[in-house]
Amino acid sequence: MKPNRYICIHGHFYQPPRENPWLEAIEQQDSAQPYHDWNERITAECYAPNTSSRILDSQGKIERIINNYERISFNFGPTLLSWLETHARETYLAILEGDRLSAARFSGHGSAMAQVYNHLIMPLASRRDKITQVRWGIADFVHRFGRRPEGMWLAETAVDLETLDIMASHGIRFTILSPHQAARVRPLARGSWTDVRGGRIDSSRPYLCRLPSGASISIFFYDAPISHAVAFEGLLFDGHAFANRLMSGFAPDRDGAQLVHIATDGESYGHHHKFGEMALSRCLCDIEHSNRVALTNYGEFLEHFPPRYEVEIFEATSWSCAHGVGRWSYDCGCNTGGHPGWNQTWRAPLRAAMNWLRDEAVRIYEERGATLFPDLWLARDNYIDVILNRSRDALDRFFLRYARAELTAEERVKALQLLEMQRNALLMFTSCGWFFDDISGIETVQNLLYAARVIQLARELSGVNLEPRFLAQLEQARSNIPAFVNGAIVYERLVRPHIVDLRKVAANHAILMVAEDAPATGHLYAYEVEATDTCKRTLGERSVLAGIVKVRSTVTLQEETFMFASANLGEHKLEARLAPYEPEAYRQLQAHLTAEACDLTLEEGLDFLATILPEPTYALPSLFRDEMRRIVYRLLGDPIQTAIEVMEKLYEENAPLMRFLRTLDVPLPKVLATMSQFVLNHLLQRAIETENDSPETVRARYQEALSWNVELDAGNLSYALERVLNQLADELRLRPNDVALMQRLVGITEVAISMPFPVNLWRPQNIFYHIASANYRITKTRADSGDREAKKWTELCQQLATMLHVRLS
């Protein structure tokens, strides 16, 4: 390490878990459009760009692409990493690679830190839950990064001594807090205490915090003014200014090593602040090239400069609440500020209801689990091994190690139900549920979904229905929105419709088989489905299907077999009825299944179903959100296409008249202007998305739209261009010498950059940068020697470099 002056930038990368607790998948979130959900959107805007961030030269061209995670300190929420691993694997692997490379850069200390598992507020949690949060956070980190974590991030930096003691007992060496959480400091030699309240602590050194057990942990208090400038004052508009601000943060008259370090939400770098990841890269580059300072991370700095001072902290405090941890427990006055006149009195009754439900779940866990596990809480703490790997082998290892004896299949189901009840009881305390302004917000509703799963599992395990008392407590949580009234109404409207049981999964499968010819056997989210002995009758476009369907949860291993009849009666008329499988009743069902049944609805026409397959009847609204949307869009396909064809014909027929009106300077009637705007946007988007359309066709459609001065649908057109460019770039990565492919990429890129709205060129830039770095010099040498193909490729490469702002060297 270089002497004396060091800089460390920490990013806290986190999104709350958004999965449907029954499906273990995120359903479509309309507010994230044009992306499927917010994880996907923020990955595109922040997490992925930081794996391949640009450093520009003086002409604004890309001279280097770097992985920011290699040079900063960072933590990722475990639940977010789980999603990235499955849905954005390239980004996920680049994050892990960033940590591996950082260890080589920083004296063997990887820059990734662990995080308490699902971002709950630790001072408000029970001791048992604190222990599980720490153990799960560590286990998840080891599983992903392949090493033990040195540091651990606390959700909202919310801290108390018990939490720090638990972390220290599990080998955590340090954490990061806000300077406002420090009370007083003194030299380790036990000199006199100095009061540092109000954020007056010297943040340039680490401190030792002595704990009640006799253990200790190191604490870094980040530089609050610079951190605030990054998050809220526009410091990320200029990477050079960012670096200068950091490098000017040292005390000029102080001897010894100093550390200027900041901590912010990692989403500042690209999501909250567009191109923030590039400002970060430029800042890192400037620091690296400075002979005055050096980059470091917390583990490396702590090794070389251990604490010489100790600190006492304010307990039950955080970085985002001026009232300690009030933001997650009562109406303390902290809110987003976006809704004047609203209050957050709902926080206290919501917290009370969740605490009560947690305690009831503990009671059931202890009563029902005592015969299954010799140490119930050790089993829960190590259930993370199953969460991370739901294979049969992992499950066998878990039960062999932690079960009281060899469990029967039925006992395994019961054990997993108990553990899942506990997992969801932890997830329902995720901090975001209290952070925002109303109990009807999507974050609070997500926590209530976890609570509903706890209630369902508790009822299945004990026969006790906890829901009425839970709802009675939620009635005390008043919503600011008149339509919702209180938390109980929020639960009824926004939570209950999403509750799933095995019957509903079977009904979904039965409808999808008759509506989309879905395979009889497969997976439907977190369930295995298998339809057998099916019998189908058709009459024209109508069809009725009957059979036996077995559903099995891959999470709890619960399974049930149903007999079913489902019907596709045309348009949106999709229906299904089910009942537990009984051989004799099923024979009756098959006997009555005739082609004529296709003329009758399951509910009204087939009288025998009232006894064989009683209520409820499942229909299109019963489908899971993504499946329902897919079918609805398919059903709308024909009428929409018809409407489009009609409008296109009207446009073509009226175009001469509209051109004539334009020569007279007569405004188009609104109906014609609206029709033209839709048709021209549609034609342009179709040209972009049609593989056989040349860039010239796209350009012509664009010019036609310009000639009519229509308002372009920037969001959908930009997204369409981005998808096409990404696809072409991915193909070019596989065939970098394909001249025709590069020519098409040049043409579409030229169209994209000519648009009056931004198009995300991030992926094409990445791929082209690496292709050019590996091939340009060699191919240019061949071109200079007279190779025609190489000359053409080189010319296209130069054109693409100009359009993508990549410097060729």
Side-chain angles (χ1 to χ4, degrees):
M1 292 184 74
K2 298 178 182 178
N4 292 333
R5 296 188 173 188
Y6 306 92
I7 290 175
C8 177
I9 299 170
H10 182 82
H12 164 52
F13 295 90
Y14 169 74
Q15 292 298 304
R18 295 187 167 98
E19 285 76 7
N20 178 307
W22 293 269
L23 306 183
E24 299 291 332
I26 302 177
E27 297 180 280
Q28 186 164 350
Q29 296 177 309
D30 293 336
S31 58
Q33 288 183 350
Y35 297 93
H36 178 271
D37 54 72
W38 277 102
N39 278 13
E40 185 178 294
R41 177 169 175 171
I42 299 173
T43 297
E45 294 174 348
C46 175
Y47 308 137
N50 275 287
T51 67
S52 300
S53 185
R54 291 92 172 87
I55 295 175
L56 307 182
D57 64 13
S58 57
Q59 278 90 41
K61 293 186 176 182
I62 299 170
E63 66 176 9
R64 290 176 63 198
I65 291 181
I66 68 170
N67 185 341
N68 283 341
Y69 300 109
E70 179 185 348
R71 292 165 171 80
I72 66 171
S73 170
F74 65 91
N75 73 281
F76 267 83
T79 54
L80 174 57
L81 282 176
S82 176
W83 182 90
L84 288 168
E85 181 181 18
T86 302
H87 299 280
R89 188 161 182 82
E90 186 175 322
T91 298
Y92 172 77
L93 293 175
I95 292 166
L96 304 189
E97 176 71 358
D99 177 68
R100 188 187 68 79
L101 294 173
S102 72
R105 179 180 292 273
F106 299 127
S107 309
H109 297 273
S111 286
M113 290 171 56
Q115 179 197 290
V116 292
Y117 186 75
N118 67 272
H119 213 265
L120 59 71
I121 301 302
M122 295 291 271
L124 297 175
S126 67
R127 178 176 176 82
R128 282 194 185 116
D129 287 357
K130 290 175 181 176
I131 292 171
T132 301
Q133 286 286 312
V134 170
R135 290 185 176 177
W136 283 15
I138 292 172
D140 188 275
F141 185 94
V142 172
H143 171 78
R144 300 184 190 286
F145 292 95
R147 62 177 180 85
R148 296 279 304 179
E150 294 183 83
M152 175 168 274
W153 180 267
L154 294 167
E156 303 289 342
T157 74
V159 69
D160 60 3
L161 290 176
E162 184 177 61
T163 295
L164 294 178
D165 223 338
I166 291 168
M167 289 163 59
S169 71
H170 286 81
I172 298 299
R173 296 179 59 212
F174 67 86
T175 192
I176 307 167
L177 298 180
S178 161
H180 295 276
Q181 295 175 269
R184 59 180 187 167
V185 301
R186 68 177 179 182
L188 287 179
R190 302 293 181 117
S192 60
W193 288 100
T194 300
D195 189 322
V196 293
R197 286 178 292 182
R200 292 180 292 118
I201 191 169
D202 180 354
S203 64
S204 68
R205 57 166 64 103
Y207 295 84
L208 193 74
C209 182
R210 301 185 192 276
L211 303 170
S213 67
S216 62
I217 191 170
S218 294
I219 300 177
F220 291 89
F221 296 90
Y222 62 79
D223 186 304
I226 303 179
S227 299
H228 191 272
V230 168
F232 304 110
E233 297 174 5
L235 189 55
L236 294 182
F237 290 148
D238 185 335
H240 294 298
F242 184 16
N244 289 335
R245 179 72 182 273
L246 287 167
M247 290 190 284
S248 65
F250 297 95
D253 55 352
R254 220 192 75 188
D255 294 330
Q258 295 184 59
L259 175 68
V260 170
H261 61 109
I262 62 170
T264 65
D265 287 339
E267 289 75 20
S268 294
Y269 304 110
H271 172 58
H272 298 316
H273 303 285
K274 192 173 180 63
F275 304 123
E277 82 284 354
M278 292 175 62
L280 174 60
S281 297
R282 170 50 65 189
C283 169
L284 294 168
C285 183
D286 285 1
I287 292 170
E288 282 187 319
H289 286 87
S290 169
N291 56 12
R292 297 182 292 141
V293 299
L295 285 172
T296 188
N297 64 19
Y298 293 111
E300 183 186 50
F301 191 85
L302 197 59
E303 177 189 347
H304 291 279
F305 308 106
R308 294 186 292 114
Y309 288 78
E310 65 175 302
V311 66
E312 288 186 353
I313 63 167
F314 288 116
E315 292 196 82
T317 56
S318 67
W319 75 346
S320 55
C321 178
H323 315 90
V325 292
R327 190 164 193 161
W328 302 275
S329 55
Y330 67 93
D331 186 10
C332 67
C334 290
N335 54 58
T336 63
H339 301 91
W342 283 19
N343 65 69
Q344 286 72 50
T345 57
W346 53 269
R347 287 176 179 159
L350 176 63
R351 173 69 60 175
M354 294 296 204
N355 284 344
W356 173 82
L357 183 56
R358 174 200 62 201
D359 294 342
E360 288 298 301
V362 165
R363 178 182 60 78
I364 293 169
Y365 183 65
E366 291 180 331
E367 289 176 359
R368 305 287 168 168
T371 60
L372 303 173
F373 300 110
D375 189 328
L376 284 164
W377 301 107
L378 181 65
R380 187 181 81 163
D381 289 342
N382 288 282
Y383 184 55
I384 184 65
D385 296 338
V386 175
I387 296 170
L388 291 168
N389 178 8
R390 292 200 180 273
S391 70
R392 184 57 65 97
D393 287 345
L395 206 53
D396 289 342
R397 289 192 298 271
F398 174 79
F399 283 126
L400 181 65
R401 187 171 300 176
Y402 301 110
R404 187 172 293 280
E406 185 171 350
L407 303 183
T408 65
E410 185 177 347
E411 287 173 329
R412 282 193 170 202
V413 169
K414 181 179 177 182
L416 289 170
Q417 286 178 299
L418 287 165
L419 290 162
E420 279 299 304
M421 180 179 65
Q422 286 298 304
R423 178 171 78 100
N424 283 274
L426 289 168
L427 290 170
M428 72 185 187
F429 285 105
T430 300
S431 68
C432 302
W434 284 265
F435 188 88
F436 296 97
D437 290 356
D438 194 69
I439 193 170
S440 62
I442 59 172
E443 299 84 3
T444 312
V445 169
Q446 182 69 35
N447 284 13
L448 289 172
L449 285 166
Y450 293 125
R453 180 62 172 145
V454 171
I455 290 168
Q456 182 189 59
L457 288 166
R459 183 167 54 244
E460 292 173 353
L461 286 160
S462 68
V464 176
N465 186 4
L466 302 175
E467 190 176 75
R469 188 169 170 186
F470 183 67
L471 291 179
Q473 295 184 67
L474 287 183
E475 286 180 358
Q476 308 305 310
R478 307 295 297 180
S479 171
N480 293 284
I481 300 173
F484 286 117
V485 185
N486 58 49
I489 303 298
V490 170
Y491 184 96
E492 293 289 350
R493 293 185 184 177
L494 303 181
V495 174
R496 189 182 298 283
H498 296 284
I499 295 175
V500 175
D501 56 17
L502 295 181
R503 180 187 289 264
K504 187 169 183 177
V505 177
N508 267 258
H509 188 50
I511 291 175
L512 292 174
M513 280 191 293
V514 78
E516 298 187 320
D517 292 324
T521 300
H523 283 83
L524 187 56
Y525 294 105
Y527 301 89
E528 295 172 348
V529 288
E530 180 183 8
T532 57
D533 200 31
T534 56
C535 179
K536 188 174 184 179
R537 298 287 184 265
T538 60
L539 184 64
E541 294 183 356
R542 298 184 171 201
S543 60
V544 176
L545 178 70
I548 301 168
V549 60
K550 180 178 180 181
V551 180
R552 180 175 181 270
S553 167
T554 59
V555 176
T556 65
L557 304 186
Q558 291 170 275
E559 62 180 49
E560 194 168 352
T561 302
F562 302 92
M563 52 187 182
F564 73 90
S566 57
N568 182 351
L569 302 172
E571 298 178 340
H572 62 279
K573 297 173 184 176
L574 299 169
E575 301 177 2
R577 281 179 177 248
L578 300 95
Y581 172 68
E582 295 178 6
E584 180 56 35
Y586 182 63
R587 279 193 291 271
Q588 293 180 41
L589 174 63
Q590 286 182 309
H592 284 80
L593 191 69
T594 65
E596 288 71 25
C598 300
D599 269 338
L600 308 169
T601 68
L602 292 181
E603 184 176 2
E604 298 171 356
L606 305 180
D607 295 337
F608 68 95
L609 291 178
T611 54
I612 300 176
L613 301 175
E615 296 285 357
T617 299
Y618 295 87
L620 184 60
S622 308
L623 289 175
F624 302 134
R625 184 180 299 166
D626 284 24
E627 283 64 35
M628 181 183 68
R629 294 281 182 91
R630 185 175 68 241
I631 289 175
V632 166
Y633 292 146
R634 180 171 57 80
L635 292 173
L636 289 172
D638 288 342
I640 288 176
Q641 184 58 37
T642 299
I644 290 171
E645 290 171 359
V646 169
M647 281 192 282
E648 286 182 2
K649 184 177 180 182
L650 286 172
Y651 171 77
E652 291 172 3
E653 291 174 348
N654 288 280
L657 176 59
M658 291 190 294
R659 293 189 187 100
F660 177 67
L661 291 177
R662 188 169 59 184
T663 64
L664 300 177
D665 199 25
V666 175
L668 286 179
K670 187 173 182 180
V671 63
L672 291 179
T674 302
M675 176 194 69
S676 299
Q677 180 167 317
F678 174 82
V679 169
L680 291 168
N681 272 288
H682 175 74
L683 291 173
L684 177 54
Q685 183 167 343
R686 187 168 66 189
I688 292 169
E689 295 175 338
T690 301
E691 185 176 348
N692 293 329
D693 277 359
S694 67
E696 288 72 25
T697 303
V698 177
R699 196 176 295 110
R701 290 298 187 189
Y702 172 52
Q703 290 300 326
E704 184 180 6
L706 284 183
S707 71
W708 287 107
N709 197 31
V710 302
E711 181 181 347
L712 294 176
D713 183 359
N716 284 324
L717 292 173
S718 175
Y719 194 54
L721 280 165
E722 179 186 341
R723 290 199 306 271
V724 172
L725 286 168
N726 288 350
Q727 180 181 345
L728 290 171
D730 285 335
E731 292 176 17
L732 189 65
R733 179 166 57 178
L734 298 176
R735 308 195 306 275
N737 298 315
D738 189 325
V739 171
L741 182 58
M742 183 173 281
Q743 195 158 16
R744 178 164 169 76
L745 180 56
V746 166
I748 296 295
T749 303
E750 187 176 25
V751 170
I753 63 177
S754 70
M755 291 291 173
F757 48 77
V759 177
N760 188 347
L761 301 174
W762 180 78
R763 189 167 185 82
Q765 285 174 333
N766 285 351
I767 292 172
F768 175 72
Y769 171 85
H770 291 295
I771 289 174
S773 297
N775 298 293
Y776 179 71
R777 286 186 178 180
I778 298 172
T779 309
K780 190 174 186 306
T781 300
R782 286 171 38 216
D784 292 341
S785 300
D787 187 322
R788 291 184 179 180
E789 191 76 4
K791 183 179 180 181
K792 181 63 176 175
W793 186 93
T794 302
E795 291 171 352
L796 291 169
C797 190
Q798 291 167 346
Q799 292 178 50
L800 205 51
T802 299
M803 290 185 285
L804 294 177
H805 305 287
V806 173
R807 190 176 77 183
L808 294 174
S809 57

